[in-house]
Amino acid sequence: MADIEVKALHKRYPDGTVAVDQVDLSIGDGELFVMLGPSGCGKTTTLRAIAGLERQTTGDIRIGDTLVNDQPPAERDIAMVFQFYALYPHLKTRDNLAFPLRAEGLPKAEVRRRVDEVARLMRLGPLLDRRPRQLSGGEQQRVALARALVRRPRAFLMDEPLTNLDAELRADMRTEIKHLQGELGATMVYVTHDQVEAMSLGHRIAILNKGRVEQIGTPLEVYDRPASLFCAAFIGSPPMNLIEVEVADGQLRGQGGLVLTPPPGVPRDRRLVAGVRPEALAVTEAGAERSVPARVVSAEWLGDEIIYVVDHGGQRDVRVRMPPTVRHAAGAAVGLRHTGGTPVVYDVRTEELVA
Ligand code: ATP
């Protein structure tokens, strides 16, 4: 396997659209690296540039020790898995898996050995003699993954490979991909717009917005300290509450009276927004100690938890994660209390993390 270095990657399409704007990425050998962002942020273009399917306008791409800017896709020795699994419909699973190896001209015995090995790894044994139309969507995607794995390329590039699967199968496949990636020590770049997928899969995540990298970090880092208001609003389900605050008497005060402990180094000379996770707040009885007044806008009962949306200080979308035993109806007057830790703080003007 190999590491991948992307330097100042820039892609401008002929119609003037800038899809990728000076992107730098350093992906380690054996790393599962996720590119996450909303539709149109430039994930696919970046991935296609790494694969050689799209020529960058400027910037360099290195795979292992090789600068691959001028290499066609076939010479880059990488495998790509897309959202749509393009299996050959007339071939049995066994032959779909063998296809890339035969194309490389490997001896028959070696092809057979490698196909058997990947079939065992991905538990495809019972499916080896079926054609794609005799397989479910999830099974087809497993075969497509296996076909990528069988080649042992220098890196795997995956573009939303699980999008077409139902929720349960997606979760299973996530586990499977993570396991296989670890087992093979594979370098993998995985593109998704689904933050849950990114958090559960990635060793590190790059969050992209409008062609630019907003943050690169481990799942824990991007969850604990989103680097910008964009990242704060993107990571977490529901995401962080963003509450405008002022520094007064050594405290952060929201408009509705919510008081938060400031993190060290909070600047005093600008407008600030505090980021507070829904699990760092609690809905209490109205008037409870250390609570401020709020009103329930809606309560979403999810079985193991309730997500309250409350109106506090004129902000009608403050979200609070509570255990399912606490019940307040929509419209109820309640209290809102900060329960955990110090918030993160953003500059309203630059939208960047400042403390
Ligand atoms: P999605 O998740 O929807 O696939 P993405 O993050 O992968 O989105 P890209 O497909 O990389 O985004 O597209 C980035 C931007 O470039 C978008 O604004 C898109 O409309 C634009 N774009 C993509 N291909 C072309 C093209 N061939 N010509 C012009 N603009 C393009």
Side-chain angles (χ1 to χ4, degrees), residues 11-20 35-48 54 83 159-160 191-193 208 210-211:
K11 174 68 185 181
R12 191 187 163 94
Y13 283 107
D15 68 357
T17 307
V18 175
V20 181
M35 282 197 281
L36 170 70
S39 182
C41 72
K43 315 178 287 290
T44 296
T45 305
T46 305
L47 200 71
R48 287 174 60 83
E54 199 74 69
Q83 179 175 342
D159 193 355
E160 311 239 14
V191 159
T192 181
H193 64 271
L208 273 76
K210 295 185 186 151

Side-chain angles (χ1 to χ4, degrees), residues 134-154:
Q134 297 167 306
L135 301 172
S136 73
E139 289 167 344
Q140 289 186 43
Q141 190 59 320
R142 263 176 44 221
V143 175
L145 267 176
R147 196 177 55 180
L149 294 173
V150 81
R151 272 192 43 221
R152 299 201 198 134
R154 292 202 291 172

Side-chain angles (χ1 to χ4, degrees), residues 46-61:
T46 305
L47 200 71
R48 287 174 60 83
I50 297 172
L53 300 170
E54 199 74 69
R55 173 74 208 215
Q56 67 266 32
T57 313
T58 52
D60 289 330
I61 298 171

Side-chain angles (χ1 to χ4, degrees), residues 80 241 273:
M80 214 160 156
N241 295 295
V273 164

